[in-house]
Structures are given as C-alpha cells and as structure tokens.
Amino acid sequence: MFELPEIATLMRQVNATLPGKVVQHGSLGNSPHKFVWYNHSPQEFATLTENKQVGLAHARGRWLMLDLEPGYRLVLGECGGKLLYHTQGAPLPGKYHLLITFTDGSALSAMTTMWGAMELYPAGQEMERQYLHGMRPTPVEPEFTSAYFNDLVNECLRGGRRSVKSLLTQDQLIPGLGNAIAQDILFRARLHPRRDLSELDPSRRLDLFHAILATLQEVIEKGGRADETDLFGRPGGYVRLMDSRTAGKPCPACGQPIQKIQYLGGACYFCPTCQP
C-alpha cells in the first residue's frame, strides 16, 4: 500500500508530467472490486471530467489530490496498487479501477489490489471527507515538531495503554505512516513494536521523533520503497531493513537473526537484541 513517501513521490512526478493536459474521457473501473470507493456513477464521472484541464497535485498523508480545472479535484486515497502514466501510443491496461485519457493521446490509470478511494469533488469539498476532515499534521509538515509529538504521546497516554507500533500505525494518529515503514522507524529508534508508550522517557520519545523524520526523509529521497512503483512503473530505491525478505537473516546492526511476530493485525519484523 502507498504510504507517505510513495504519495510524495507520485505528487512530484504528477506535477512534472500532467499539468496542462486536457481530459478527453474519464472512466471508472471495468474490473469490479467491492473495496474501491467511488462517489459518482461512471456516466456522471465521464461528464464531469470531460474537457477539464489538469492542474497541480497536492498530497496529505496517504491521499493524493489532483486539480481538474475549472472547479474539481480528483481524490485518490488509502490505495494499494499502481498509479501509472501512459505515453501517447503506449498500450493501456486491460483492467483498471480508473482510467483518464487526455487529448494528446496520453493517459493516467489506477489499479488497486487492496482498497482505496477514487472520487471526484468540487474543489474544497474533498476536505470534508472522512479521513481528510480534521487530519492531524503529517511528519513532512512544519507543525510536526518535537513539542507537538510530545503532546501527541501525552494525549495517547491519557486515553489508556498504547504501544509504539499502535502510535505509528493506528487511528490516523500520524497520517501517512503504515505497517511497512513503521518497521524501519522502530528499528532506527531501537524500540520493540510492543513497547508501551508509558515506558518512554523524554530521551526515548525524542529518539522516536527523530527516527520518524529521518526514515521518511530517506525513503522520500530514494523515491519510495523498492516494493512499490512510481508513476512510470519503476520501483522505488529504498530497500527496507525489516520485512519478510529479511526475516531470519542477520540484523544489519548486531548480526542476530531478525524475528517475526503477528501484532495489531499485521506482521512485525524486529531485532530482539537491538529492539528489546
């Protein structure tokens, strides 16, 4: 699934490729999927997008928003799969959940293997959608400071017990993060996924804060994770340290075998020595 680094990469590439293009036809999915969410019928979507001009893309967390001018915004969110640009004359996918062709012969397609929103709103109204409305600051925004992060941890503690993995991956507490990138954040911070937030003293809180920022910065600079693809179908350059590929192999820091557990609805990979 796309997480914040992949969305940041896609936004940058979309803004370098699509602005100024004119929509010839907008098509919703020809491959049924009960976990892809639309807010228009196929005919409504085609009518509303016809002859619209592509503006700039914007991103927040795991949501990508693309201006279709005048007056509309295409919203792609919480998606796992592929968002691809097709040059003029290139073959188009036989199956898709979204396909937009442009008057210059190029196209944009989206296909998800998991779930996701592919919706169209009058510009501004998309911010009233669930998950976008009231979204907390993301780690790439100026508001995400160490003081803010400390207050967030305190807020979580007032609500009861919570683990460090829960802080990173649940309830949209830190928008844009997910189970995949959380593994390397916790390794960098030297924290076990089950470690209770109440056990973190101010120094360990700061370690976790810096691990979030440093990990995201590295993944963004490398164009996303190697197990996800960009707008042109190329894999990202960041190879995860803690994932299914490395389970049972030596920890890059101490050499002990990396372990796997199931926790909070997903697999966790960690070093039992470095992350006690």
Side-chain angles (χ1 to χ4, degrees), residues 147-202:
Y148 167 81
F149 182 73
N150 192 60
D151 288 342
L152 176 61
V153 173
N154 289 335
E155 177 187 333
C156 290
L157 292 176
R158 288 192 294 271
R161 295 190 61 183
R162 186 182 284 270
S163 68
V164 289
K165 182 190 174 183
S166 175
L167 171 69
L168 297 182
T169 64
Q170 292 194 316
D171 302 326
Q172 295 284 303
L173 292 169
I174 305 179
L177 301 188
N179 192 58
I181 200 65
Q183 311 299 319
D184 282 13
I185 290 172
L186 292 175
F187 176 69
R188 192 185 290 256
R190 299 300 192 258
L191 291 170
H192 191 285
R194 295 184 188 270
R195 178 72 71 87
D196 197 285
L197 280 178
S198 64
E199 299 176 18
L200 303 189
D201 61 22

Side-chain angles (χ1 to χ4, degrees), residues 48-220:
L48 290 171
T49 56
E50 186 177 9
N51 293 323
K52 292 291 190 296
Q53 186 174 67
V54 178
L56 291 177
H58 317 270
R60 287 214 73 201
R62 293 192 298 224
W63 292 77
L64 182 69
M65 293 154 278
L66 179 61
D67 288 344
L68 296 180
E69 299 167 344
Y72 280 86
R73 189 161 287 164
L74 178 66
V75 174
L76 307 175
E78 303 288 336
C79 294
K82 296 182 183 296
L83 180 68
L84 295 173
Y85 173 69
H86 309 275
T87 58
Q88 181 182 8
L92 299 180
K95 293 183 178 181
Y96 54 83
H97 293 128
L98 177 74
L99 178 65
I100 297 177
T101 58
F102 301 109
T103 55
D104 66 358
S106 63
L108 180 73
S109 71
M111 185 77 178
T112 182
T113 55
M114 300 177 69
W115 57 79
M118 301 181 189
E119 300 171 348
L120 185 70
Y121 292 90
Q125 290 187 19
E126 77 284 352
M127 298 310 296
E128 297 304 312
R129 193 201 190 281
Q130 185 182 15
Y131 303 124
L132 284 172
H133 180 71
M135 183 183 289
R136 295 172 182 265
T138 75
V140 295
E141 295 174 328
E143 296 85 356
F144 196 90
T145 63
S146 59
Y148 167 81
F149 182 73
N150 192 60
D151 288 342
L152 176 61
V153 173
N154 289 335
E155 177 187 333
C156 290
L157 292 176
R158 288 192 294 271
R161 295 190 61 183
R162 186 182 284 270
S163 68
V164 289
K165 182 190 174 183
S166 175
L167 171 69
L168 297 182
T169 64
Q170 292 194 316
D171 302 326
Q172 295 284 303
L173 292 169
I174 305 179
L177 301 188
N179 192 58
I181 200 65
Q183 311 299 319
D184 282 13
I185 290 172
L186 292 175
F187 176 69
R188 192 185 290 256
R190 299 300 192 258
L191 291 170
H192 191 285
R194 295 184 188 270
R195 178 72 71 87
D196 197 285
L197 280 178
S198 64
E199 299 176 18
L200 303 189
D201 61 22
S203 176
R204 298 310 302 276
R205 290 188 186 189
L206 193 59
D207 288 344
L208 180 55
F209 170 75
H210 287 304
I212 292 169
L213 298 189
T215 304
L216 287 175
Q217 180 180 358
E218 182 177 352
V219 185
I220 291 171

